[in-house]
């Protein structure tokens, strides 16, 4: 057998061609990839559709999101282009359009590829039928115990005839389930949900099935984290939550809120364990106590009262008891205050009692007032509807520029009610807060001159679309007496400043006496403000304020102020910075404020 070995050979005449090919490949490897990857494919995308749909596609279409990426080559671009119509159909379906007509076009313009999508969404699909079905114990409980099924159906947020949007559909289902879970049925679940779209009639049939599961009642209360305070301090704030009572989420949240508002605890978490296969849910309270003694120091500035230095001291267990001491010294340019209050433990009937004293000196608009007072107060109710009764003794010395000093005293008893219906206590967008007061003092019972003092203030929030808001506020007050002589200045009124009539100095509107401004017996202020929020936390405002204080309501001459401002929803509340023009003084003023007081 003969074996022949064949070795590969290359004719010399091909060497120049091979050298050229290898040289070209080397150049491509060394230079072209880096240039191409660095630049990527250059292309433009044009969307022809309604403003709403165009914004939706520009925010979500993959072809647009990948534009400018260095790794997009011709093959990737063609793939994205082919997939885009399917993406568009899915995206517009979330807005209720299930039969869109899409025209796609791609052409080369110089070095740039131009892509155009023309989207005709047609008519949106609308809700035709709504079928809400409830199963489980919710359908068999006694009428006095079960949630009203008719009310649950009434609260369903999607109405017949409305455009079917995916986001609204999900929100409505979650809201329905949450309503069932809030009272008695925390184990409720959504066992079926269907949205059937008829592409020919553009009608949608909705079906939701909710299984309530078994009813749940509150079980044993378990408290964790107490070191200084006895359990009765916590239990006194639980209100109507009792072992064996029907489960109510609102009762848990109310107890948690009252624990946090008590001032004893840094953190408070109140929950019911509904995970076990039992109709009884143990209630767990997890607490973190504040340090017993706290000292606070701070510096600040107010456009109302000037520079500020504050020192505060708090003892959460005064003399080792459940009494709390809260005291503060505040030194401001126009006001100096020293106060101390002792807060008693909250009673089982939710009464919150306190007593204390105050010394205050103010020097505002040519008037110097030195006030010493002692008071006792009781507050009860809920954060939404709160009542209070306050008895205080006022001893006051008043000095006006160019006049002799005067002295007055009074022992007013004041009843007040506060209503709060706000979607957020920190940064409200909808709702109102209103406070009404009625006070009276009778001579000669530690009172120089008898008077009756009604007072009302309120603020109202109304959203205007997603980014705009209207804010209105106002005050009305009166001191009804035969004369103002002998009535302490601290119960009378002046206007002007950050939370009053902007464009005027703090409490500069009142009764003019020489070069000073004296408090008056009647007050009326009003404000209307339009806010636009460019971003969730940043906005701007236009406002008009009007009001004044006078000794005769019939002669009330409102001072007008208007201007513009910036808004920031900070973690501690809304912060406002305003530039206001006072029409009466023809001056501009800067006003700064944090939140609102109620």
């Amino acid at each position: 057998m003969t074996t022949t070995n064949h070795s590969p050979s290359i004719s010399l005449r091909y060497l120049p061609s091979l050298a050229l090919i290898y040289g070209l490949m080397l150049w491509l490897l060394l230079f072209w990839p880096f240039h191409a990857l660095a630049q990527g494919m250059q292309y433009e995308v044009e969307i022809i559709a309604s403003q709403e749909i165009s914004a939706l596609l520009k925010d979500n279409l993959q072809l647009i999101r990948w534009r400018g990426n260095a790794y997009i080559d011709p093959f990737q671009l063609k793939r994205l282009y082919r997939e885009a119509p399917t993406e568009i159909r899915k995206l517009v379906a979330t807005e209720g359009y299930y039969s869109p007509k899409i025209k796609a076009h791609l052409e080369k313009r110089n070095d740039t590829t131009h892509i155009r999508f023309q989207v005709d969404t047609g008519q949106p699909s609308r809700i035709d039928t709504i079928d809400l079905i409830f199963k489980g114990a919710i359908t068999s409980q006694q009428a006095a115990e079960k949630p009203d099924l008719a009310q649950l159906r009434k609260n369903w947020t999607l109405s017949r005839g409305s455009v079917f949007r995916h986001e609204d559909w999900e929100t409505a289902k979650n809201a329905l389930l949450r309503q069932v879970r809030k009272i008695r049925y925390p184990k409720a679940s959504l066992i079926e949900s269907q949205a059937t779209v008829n592409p020919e009639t553009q009608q949608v049939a909705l079906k939701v099935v909710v299984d309530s599961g078994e009813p749940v009642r509150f079980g044993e209360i378990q408290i964790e984290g107490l070191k200084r305070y006895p359990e009765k301090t916590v239990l006194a704030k639980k209100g109507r939550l009792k072992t064996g009572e029907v489960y109510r989420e609102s009762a848990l949240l109310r107890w948690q809120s009252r624990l946090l508002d008590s001032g004893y605890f840094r953190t408070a978490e109140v929950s019911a364990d509904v995970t076990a296969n039992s109709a009884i849910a143990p209630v767990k309270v997890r607490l973190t106590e504040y340090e017993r003694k706290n000292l606070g120091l701070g510096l600040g500035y107010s456009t109302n009262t000037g520079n500020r230095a504050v020192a505060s001291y708090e003892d959460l267990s005064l003399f080792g008891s459940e009494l709390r001491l809260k005291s503060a010294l505040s030194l401001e340019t126009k006001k100096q205050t020293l106060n101390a209050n002792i807060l008693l433990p909250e009673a089982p009937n939710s009464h919150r009692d306190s007593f204390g004293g105050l010394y205050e000196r103010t020097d505002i608009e040519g008037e110097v007032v030195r006030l010493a007072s002692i008071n006792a107060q009781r507050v009860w109710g809920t954060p939404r509807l709160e009542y209070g009764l306050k008895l205080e003794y006022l001893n006051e010395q008043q000095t006006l520029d160019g006049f002799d000093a005067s002295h007055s005293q009074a022992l007013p008893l004041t009843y007040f009610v506060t209503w709060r219906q706000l979607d957020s206590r920190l940064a409200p967008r909808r709702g109102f807060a209103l406070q009404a007061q009625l006070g009276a003092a009778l001579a000669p019972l530690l009172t120089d001159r008898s008077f009756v003092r009604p007072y009302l203030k309120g603020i109202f929030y109304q959203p205007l679309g997603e980014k705009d808001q209207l804010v209105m506020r106002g005050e009305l007050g009166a001191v009804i007496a035969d004369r103002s002589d002998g009535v302490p200045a601290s119960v009378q009124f002046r206007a002007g400043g950050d939370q009053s009539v902007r464009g005027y100095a703090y409490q500069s509107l009142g009764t003019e006496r020489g070069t000073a401004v004296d408090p008056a017996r009647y007050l009326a202020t009003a404000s209307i403000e339009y806010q636009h929020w460019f971003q969730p936390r940043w906005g701007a405002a236009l406002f008009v304020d009007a009001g004044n204080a006078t000794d005769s309501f019939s002669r009330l001459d409102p001072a007008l102020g208007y201007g513009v401002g910036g808004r920031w929803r900070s973690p501690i509340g809304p912060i406002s910075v305003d530039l206001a023009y006072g029409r009466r003084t023809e001056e501009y003023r800067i006003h700064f404020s944090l939140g609102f007081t109620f």
Side-chain angles (χ1 to χ4, degrees):
M1 177 181 293
T2 303
T3 302
T4 305
N5 293 326
H6 295 278
S7 300
S9 60
I10 300 176
S11 176
L12 292 176
R13 68 174 181 268
Y14 295 117
L15 287 177
S17 299
L18 290 172
L20 180 62
I21 292 172
Y22 284 129
L24 181 60
M25 292 174 63
L26 180 63
W27 183 86
L28 290 173
L29 290 171
L30 292 176
F31 298 102
W32 179 85
F34 295 100
H35 173 75
L37 289 176
Q39 298 297 323
M41 285 291 297
Q42 300 298 309
Y43 65 92
E44 299 175 347
V45 180
E46 180 184 5
I47 304 292
I48 302 175
S50 66
Q51 183 177 357
E52 176 189 11
I53 297 301
S54 179
L56 173 70
L57 298 180
K58 289 178 180 178
D59 289 341
N60 296 279
L61 201 60
Q62 292 292 326
L63 189 62
I64 295 178
R65 296 174 66 179
W66 279 92
R67 187 174 54 186
N69 189 285
Y71 293 95
I72 294 296
D73 57 24
F75 302 101
Q76 294 279 13
L77 181 61
K78 288 182 179 179
R79 179 182 63 80
L80 292 172
Y81 175 72
R82 288 194 303 268
E83 295 174 353
T86 301
E87 280 189 79
I88 292 173
R89 288 186 176 88
K90 291 180 179 179
L91 289 169
V92 299
T94 64
E95 296 298 314
Y97 301 97
Y98 287 89
S99 301
K101 295 179 180 179
I102 303 170
K103 294 181 180 180
H105 180 73
L106 182 149
E107 65 176 346
K108 191 76 172 180
R109 296 180 182 176
N110 299 326
D111 295 332
T112 302
T113 300
H114 182 80
I115 298 171
R116 181 177 68 251
F117 295 105
Q118 184 173 347
V119 182
D120 180 5
T121 57
Q123 294 299 315
S125 297
R126 296 184 179 274
I127 299 170
D128 180 48
T129 61
I130 303 169
D131 190 12
L132 304 181
I133 301 173
F134 298 93
K135 295 184 176 182
I138 193 173
T139 62
S140 59
Q141 292 292 318
Q142 295 296 321
E145 296 181 339
K146 69 180 180 182
D148 188 348
L149 298 184
Q151 187 64 38
L152 290 173
R153 291 188 171 92
K154 182 179 179 180
N155 292 342
W156 175 255
T157 56
L158 296 181
S159 60
R160 190 172 182 271
S162 62
V163 175
F164 177 77
R165 298 177 65 250
H166 179 74
E167 182 179 353
D168 296 340
W169 168 233
E170 294 299 321
T171 300
K173 291 188 293 183
N174 291 332
L176 176 64
L177 185 60
R178 180 156 181 77
Q179 289 180 70
V180 178
R181 286 177 171 175
K182 288 174 69 173
I183 300 179
R184 183 175 286 277
Y185 302 103
K187 299 180 182 181
S189 60
L190 192 67
I191 60 175
E192 184 181 351
S193 66
Q194 293 180 358
T196 305
V197 181
N198 186 331
E200 295 181 358
T201 62
Q202 300 297 326
Q203 292 182 333
V204 184
L206 303 182
K207 180 182 179 181
V208 179
V209 182
V210 176
D211 186 350
S212 69
E214 293 300 315
V216 173
R217 294 181 180 272
F218 290 127
E220 177 187 3
I221 297 174
Q222 304 166 3
I223 302 175
E224 301 175 2
L226 288 179
K227 296 179 180 178
R228 288 191 303 274
Y229 307 112
E231 287 192 354
K232 67 178 183 179
T233 302
V234 180
L235 296 175
K237 305 183 187 309
K238 65 184 178 66
R240 296 190 298 270
L241 192 154
K242 298 177 182 179
T243 300
E245 290 289 326
V246 61
Y247 172 93
R248 288 170 291 120
E249 184 184 85
S250 59
L252 298 171
L253 295 175
R254 187 181 301 115
W255 191 3
Q256 179 175 291
S257 176
R258 293 178 67 184
L259 288 170
L260 290 171
D261 292 342
S262 70
Y264 292 111
F265 306 106
R266 186 185 306 276
T267 63
E269 179 186 350
V270 181
S271 61
D273 184 5
V274 298
T275 58
N277 295 325
S278 172
I280 302 299
V283 178
K284 296 183 178 181
V285 183
R286 298 180 177 89
L287 304 165
T288 303
E289 296 177 351
Y290 275 114
E291 296 297 325
R292 174 183 168 180
K293 298 180 180 180
N294 298 283
L295 176 65
L297 300 173
L299 297 173
Y301 175 79
S302 165
T303 49
N304 276 344
T305 53
N307 299 315
R308 178 191 300 133
V310 179
S312 62
Y313 175 75
E314 187 175 24
D315 189 336
L316 300 181
S317 184
L318 187 63
F319 307 127
S321 68
E322 294 182 62
L323 298 176
R324 293 167 50 207
L325 170 66
K326 298 186 70 173
S327 60
L329 172 64
S330 176
L331 302 177
E332 300 174 83
T333 304
K334 297 180 180 181
K335 181 194 295 186
Q336 300 82 45
T337 306
L338 173 65
N339 66 73
N341 288 280
I342 294 178
L343 288 70
L344 280 65
E346 184 174 335
N349 55 10
S350 301
H351 288 168
R352 301 181 294 280
D353 298 330
S354 64
F355 60 91
L358 172 142
Y359 176 80
E360 181 177 86
R361 179 188 180 275
T362 59
D363 186 352
I364 300 172
E365 296 297 321
E367 179 197 59
V368 177
V369 175
R370 294 176 174 84
L371 170 67
S373 73
I374 56 174
N375 67 82
Q377 178 174 273
R378 167 167 288 185
V379 178
W380 64 95
T382 67
R384 284 181 174 270
L385 183 56
E386 188 176 64
Y387 304 89
L389 193 63
K390 184 176 184 178
L391 178 67
E392 58 185 335
Y393 171 69
L394 308 173
N395 191 303
E396 185 179 279
Q397 179 180 309
Q398 178 189 28
T399 304
L400 287 172
D401 288 347
F403 295 88
D404 295 333
S406 62
H407 177 270
S408 60
Q409 65 175 352
L411 184 69
L413 177 65
T414 303
Y415 175 77
F416 56 89
V417 183
T418 304
W419 295 269
R420 300 181 182 93
Q421 294 287 342
L422 301 168
D423 58 354
S424 168
R425 290 282 296 273
L426 195 61
R429 274 187 49 79
R430 181 188 299 273
F432 67 90
L434 183 68
Q435 185 179 87
Q437 300 178 8
L438 181 61
L442 298 176
L445 186 60
L446 296 177
T447 300
D448 291 339
R449 187 171 300 282
S450 299
F451 64 86
V452 176
R453 185 182 186 272
Y455 174 74
L456 179 68
K457 71 173 180 177
I459 189 165
F460 175 78
Y461 295 88
Q462 177 62 47
L464 304 174
E466 294 184 359
K467 295 185 177 182
D468 300 283
Q469 183 178 16
L470 192 67
V471 181
M472 295 179 286
R473 58 178 170 82
E475 286 182 290
L476 286 173
V479 174
I480 303 172
D482 53 358
R483 297 199 315 270
S484 60
D485 296 346
V487 178
S490 55
V491 301
Q492 298 187 62
F493 305 102
R494 287 190 287 191
D498 303 338
Q499 299 284 340
S500 182
V501 183
R502 287 164 288 189
Y504 300 87
Y506 177 58
Q507 294 191 359
S508 62
L509 300 174
T511 302
E512 296 184 3
R513 294 182 61 187
T515 59
V517 176
D518 198 21
R521 288 192 290 158
Y522 298 95
L523 170 74
T525 68
S527 171
I528 184 168
E529 178 170 302
Y530 172 79
Q531 298 178 353
H532 176 75
W533 295 90
F534 303 102
Q535 296 180 2
R537 290 187 175 273
W538 294 94
L542 298 173
F543 60 85
V544 178
D545 298 345
N548 210 335
T550 179
D551 273 332
S552 174
F553 199 81
S554 61
R555 294 199 301 268
L556 185 69
D557 181 18
L560 186 66
Y562 45 85
V564 299
R567 301 291 180 267
W568 178 44
R569 291 190 175 118
S570 77
I572 58 174
I575 292 178
S576 305
V577 179
D578 297 316
L579 175 63
Y581 177 75
R583 188 168 182 177
R584 180 170 296 184
T585 60
E586 298 183 345
E587 294 179 349
Y588 288 94
R589 285 187 174 272
I590 296 290
H591 295 275
F592 174 87
S593 62
L594 170 62
F596 65 97
T597 303
F598 260 94

